[in-house]
Amino acid sequence: MNNTIKGQMKMSRELFDEILIVKEIENITNKKNKDNISRTDAYFKYYLTHPEINWSFLASMVSRNGGYNMCDLQGEFFSQLLDFSVRKRLFLTYERANWLIFQDVYPQLMLYEYSTKLHRPLFHLLKYFRVSNFMKREWELFWMVRNEKRLTHALIINEQNVIQKPIIEHHIYKKKVFQSLLFKLEDWFHLSCVLFPTCGGELFGASVNGFRKLEKRIDLGKRLADILFEPRLFPHFLEFAKKQVHTGSRNDYERFFLRKIGGKTPSIRASYPIVDHHIHEKKDWSINRRVPKSWLHGKIHHKHPIYLSDWYEKKQNEIKLLVALNSIVSKK
């Protein structure tokens, strides 16, 4: 058998293997993208297998916060402040955004895993999952130079661009959610915050401010990564993630507090059914959007303290006061 035939047979086998890989990744992604719990677990388990992919741990911790926000809507306080229709709309916004991100990024993570197993890059297969050319280039670069920080920043840039048009700029979400008085108040008072708990009952993190602006969300993601992987703090965050099963209830971390602060919130799966999603249209955001160098390499500035235990207690007391005032007004 001559070398040409052998080469063709090898190419045929590789092509067949790649078809199987694409199908397998599609199945795994759909299975793990069922709800906030399955997404959070998938991100964290992936990180434990591939600790060089820092973004995956960041994604798991941010996903935990997404679950807390969802469960707040069914909790003791917000169920008294907001009508059911408003709470449902907010939940579906959180859920849709997180589903879209997972549907885009998990195939990327899996292709990296298969690449490490087969000892050859498979990032040319990203096109079958309609992943941006920007991320294809970044994965190929990472395969060669192993710049973990740059890959983390690239994935943050990508995820926020993935949700920009279908969520942030979508006319329904824009009108019903992001231009609502509730969202503007929440944004203004920094009531939404990404928290990184420890088993010692401490909270660290950063506030979500200017959520509708792409560059502010990217800046937030980079600041959160900087906090999460700060050498002195990282072991405590990892300990919490390993010890505390994610349920979506804020009791997951409030149980470590010395005294009770917040109200009761249920778990995700006790609060919401599985939501069926579909992608109607997905375009490569990187074709028409330039990525400034500052997004990848810019210095990270923490304008506010990252220790948030006292801040959290203050905000919970403010929400309690708001609920009490609302109850008084409702009775008149």
Side-chain angles (χ1 to χ4, degrees):
M1 187 180 295
N2 62 43
N3 290 334
T4 301
I5 296 175
K6 287 182 180 179
Q8 290 175 343
M9 290 179 65
K10 182 182 178 182
M11 289 177 62
S12 297
R13 284 197 300 271
E14 287 183 354
L15 179 61
F16 180 72
D17 289 342
E18 289 179 358
I19 292 171
L20 292 179
I21 287 170
V22 169
K23 291 295 182 184
E24 179 68 12
I25 290 175
E26 285 178 346
N27 291 334
I28 292 172
T29 301
N30 291 332
K31 181 180 179 181
K32 294 182 181 295
N33 202 7
K34 291 295 184 185
D35 64 6
N36 175 263
I37 302 295
S38 61
R39 286 189 286 268
T40 304
D41 289 347
Y43 285 137
F44 186 55
K45 287 175 181 175
Y46 185 91
Y47 174 74
L48 294 178
T49 306
H50 300 284
E52 71 274 23
I53 309 299
N54 293 340
W55 181 89
S56 194
F57 184 37
L58 173 66
S60 74
M61 295 300 281
V62 173
S63 185
R64 281 181 181 256
N65 279 265
Y68 302 148
N69 290 335
M70 291 175 183
C71 290
D72 279 347
L73 298 171
Q74 300 289 72
E76 181 180 350
F77 295 149
F78 283 94
S79 60
Q80 298 180 59
L81 292 171
L82 303 175
D83 291 339
F84 173 78
S85 60
V86 175
R87 288 185 282 126
K88 181 179 180 181
R89 200 154 53 230
L90 287 170
F91 161 71
L92 290 174
T93 305
Y94 284 127
E95 169 64 20
R96 179 67 176 171
N98 287 288
W99 183 88
L100 283 171
I101 289 171
F102 191 94
Q103 202 70 14
D104 181 85
V105 79
Y106 205 71
Q108 298 179 49
L109 301 180
M110 291 304 298
L111 277 175
Y112 172 74
E113 183 170 283
Y114 275 107
S115 296
T116 59
K117 288 178 179 178
L118 298 177
H119 306 290
R120 61 184 177 91
L122 296 170
F123 307 118
H124 59 283
L125 299 178
L126 286 171
K127 63 185 178 182
Y128 295 109
F129 301 98
R130 293 182 288 179
V131 171
S132 66
N133 285 326
F134 168 78
M135 278 316 305
K136 178 179 179 292
R137 292 191 298 270
E138 290 298 324
W139 278 109
E140 289 170 345
L141 181 63
F142 178 74
W143 186 259
M144 292 186 290
V145 302
R146 300 289 158 158
N147 187 332
E148 296 178 11
K149 188 173 184 178
R150 176 177 174 129
L151 180 67
T152 298
H153 288 179
L155 285 164
I156 290 168
I157 292 166
N158 182 70
E159 70 178 64
Q160 294 307 324
N161 275 282
V162 163
I163 65 170
Q164 183 65 21
K165 284 194 175 294
I167 300 293
I168 309 301
E169 296 178 10
H170 192 281
H171 66 281
I172 293 178
Y173 291 108
K174 198 171 182 180
K175 181 180 179 181
K176 299 290 187 180
V177 177
F178 301 118
Q179 291 181 350
S180 68
L181 177 61
L182 169 71
F183 193 85
K184 290 176 181 176
L185 285 173
E186 188 175 27
D187 200 37
W188 178 262
F189 289 112
H190 300 267
L191 292 175
S192 284
C193 189
V194 177
L195 300 172
F196 298 148
T198 72
C199 294
E202 294 181 304
L203 298 174
F204 297 83
S207 297
V208 179
N209 179 244
F211 183 83
R212 285 174 291 175
K213 295 182 179 178
L214 175 63
E215 62 273 17
K216 288 209 170 189
R217 296 199 312 275
I218 290 170
D219 176 69
L220 172 68
K222 290 163 63 178
R223 285 188 286 123
L224 290 171
D226 193 59
I227 296 167
L228 189 64
F229 293 101
E230 201 283 326
R232 293 170 300 166
L233 298 175
F234 168 72
H236 301 290
F237 300 142
L238 185 61
E239 177 192 29
F240 174 84
K242 286 181 176 179
K243 286 187 175 181
Q244 180 58 54
V245 174
H246 175 59
T247 70
S249 169
R250 290 197 184 271
N251 186 59
D252 288 358
Y253 63 83
E254 288 184 354
R255 71 187 188 88
F256 294 106
F257 293 171
L258 293 176
R259 64 180 183 276
K260 180 175 173 54
I261 294 176
K264 294 179 181 178
T265 59
S267 65
I268 283 283
R269 288 178 174 166
S271 304
Y272 300 106
I274 299 296
V275 178
D276 290 325
H277 296 272
H278 303 281
I279 295 181
H280 303 292
E281 184 180 18
K282 186 181 179 185
K283 295 181 179 179
D284 182 351
W285 63 265
S286 66
I287 292 174
N288 298 313
R289 188 183 296 279
R290 184 181 67 86
V291 175
K293 289 183 179 179
S294 60
W295 286 5
L296 283 167
H297 307 292
K299 290 185 178 180
I300 296 166
H301 300 284
H302 297 284
K303 296 178 182 178
H304 304 285
I306 66 170
Y307 178 75
L308 295 178
S309 294
D310 297 336
W311 177 92
Y312 182 79
E313 182 172 358
K314 179 185 175 184
K315 287 300 173 186
Q316 289 298 310
N317 288 333
E318 289 176 359
I319 294 172
K320 288 178 185 177
L321 178 60
L322 186 60
V323 170
L325 290 172
N326 182 68
S327 178
I328 293 171
V329 171
S330 299
K331 289 177 181 179
K332 288 184 177 180

